[in-house]
């Protein structure tokens, strides 16, 4: 892995098991906007699978906006802002999302074997929210110090699959994006990695039934322990 400078990681669904938190907050926010929806958290993933991992604006436009016909552009903007406000209120009041069991030990092993290798996070959430999530009581204290930088999709940064958040992250930690891999769990993640010019994109699918679907990535793994072997296998085949 001598040509690899950094492993950049998605956060929600990759490092943190946020499925319940995300879907519950989206459903609650949508129901506050349109009470007649009566949307259940499990329906968010089953009925809108393509939205998972995307920006909140898309959740609003797909779930809420059809129930608010005739809005002006300014009213749509206000509606989106209210939805995001409700979502963040729900997240703030929810239990912290736990870290997947394999993450810390896998990163510690990689760091011990490759001391110069950097780890960083590039996520759809705003940086401030991401930092809070990664330092919550549900996440091991040893994880955040392993991460050289946490880059969120803040104002002025286009959401994935645009490459902006990855390029910003690589710039901050001072590495060539072409010498990084991006590890995520959605097609938006692999799309962002390709658009940024990452050396390789990896999809984590902890559900073994999904391992045949790379979601557009160069490789698919079942847990973080597979990062090193995926990179080595990709280099051999390239």
């Amino acid at each position: 892995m001598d040509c690899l400078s950094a492993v950049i990681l998605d956060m929600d669904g990759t490092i943190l098991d946020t499925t319940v938190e995300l879907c519950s907050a989206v459903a609650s926010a949508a129901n506050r906007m349109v009470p007649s929806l009566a949307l259940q958290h499990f329906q968010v993933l089953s009925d809108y699978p393509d939205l998972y991992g995307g920006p909140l604006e898309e959740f609003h436009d797909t779930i809420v906006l059809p129930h608010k016909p005739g809005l002006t552009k300014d009213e749509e903007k206000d509606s989106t802002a209210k939805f995001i406000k409700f979502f963040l209120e729900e997240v703030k009041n929810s239990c912290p999302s736990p870290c997947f069991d394999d993450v810390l030990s896998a990163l510690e092993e990689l760091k011990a074997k490759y001391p110069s290798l950097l780890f960083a996070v590039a996520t759809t959430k705003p940086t401030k929210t991401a930092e809070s999530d990664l330092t919550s009581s549900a996440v091991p204290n040893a994880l955040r110090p392993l991460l050289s930088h946490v880059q969120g999709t803040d104002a002025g940064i286009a959401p994935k699959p645009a490459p902006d958040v990855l390029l910003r992250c690589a710039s901050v930690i001072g590495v060539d994006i072409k010498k990084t891999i991006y590890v995520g769990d959605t097609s938006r993640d692999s799309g962002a990695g390709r658009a940024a010019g990452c050396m390789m994109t990896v999809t984590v699918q902890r559900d073994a039934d999904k391992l045949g679907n790379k979601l557009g990535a160069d490789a698919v793994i079942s847990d973080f322990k597979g990062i090193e072997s995926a990179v080595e296998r990709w280099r051999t085949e390239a």
Side-chain angles (χ1 to χ4, degrees):
M1 303 232 293
D2 53 331
C3 64
L4 182 63
S5 297
V7 176
I8 303 178
L9 307 159
D10 172 52
M11 188 179 74
D12 291 352
T14 301
I15 295 177
L16 303 182
D17 188 0
T18 55
T19 301
V20 172
E21 174 195 300
L22 170 69
C23 293
S24 296
V26 166
S28 295
N31 290 336
R32 290 172 70 178
M33 299 288 294
V34 186
S36 61
L37 269 176
L39 187 66
Q40 300 295 313
H41 76 275
F42 59 85
Q43 291 176 296
V44 174
L45 199 57
S46 62
D47 295 357
Y48 308 101
D50 294 338
L51 297 180
Y52 190 78
L56 292 174
E57 288 84 355
E58 291 187 15
F59 279 99
H60 169 269
D61 292 352
T62 303
I63 300 173
V64 175
L65 204 54
H67 298 273
K68 293 180 172 291
L71 294 183
T72 66
K73 288 297 182 182
D74 286 342
E75 289 171 337
E76 285 186 13
K77 185 177 179 180
D78 289 342
S79 179
T80 301
K82 184 179 291 186
F83 175 80
I84 293 174
K85 176 178 178 290
F86 287 164
F87 174 88
L88 294 176
E89 288 175 356
E90 296 295 337
V91 167
K92 185 177 181 179
N93 292 326
S94 66
C95 295
S97 295
C99 181
F100 285 108
D101 292 339
D102 57 302
V103 174
L104 178 60
S105 59
L107 296 187
E108 287 179 331
E109 289 174 15
L110 279 172
K111 191 66 175 178
K113 192 170 183 179
Y114 307 99
S116 63
L117 187 63
L118 301 178
F119 303 116
V121 166
T123 176
T124 299
K125 282 184 175 175
T127 300
K128 184 177 179 180
T129 303
E131 286 282 12
S132 177
D133 288 352
L134 288 168
T135 54
S136 78
S137 58
V139 177
N141 292 333
L143 178 61
R144 180 60 185 88
L146 282 173
L147 304 172
S148 297
H149 180 60
V150 174
Q151 181 61 59
T153 304
D154 300 322
I157 298 179
K160 294 179 288 186
D164 298 32
V165 69
L166 277 164
L167 295 173
R168 179 74 62 86
C169 184
S171 176
V172 171
I173 62 177
V175 299
D176 182 351
I177 194 68
K178 295 179 181 178
K179 295 183 178 180
T180 72
I181 65 171
Y182 189 43
V183 182
D185 68 310
T186 71
S187 60
R188 294 172 184 270
D189 297 327
S190 52
R194 288 196 309 273
C198 293
M199 182 179 84
M200 180 186 184
T201 56
V202 178
T203 295
V204 182
Q205 294 288 350
R206 291 181 173 83
D207 184 340
D209 294 338
K210 299 178 181 178
L211 288 182
N213 186 354
K214 295 182 180 180
L215 298 179
D218 297 304
V220 59
I221 57 179
S222 60
D223 56 55
F224 264 45
K225 301 288 185 180
I227 291 177
E228 181 180 12
S229 59
V231 174
E232 293 295 351
R233 185 168 60 253
W234 178 81
R235 289 181 61 196
T236 300
E237 295 173 353

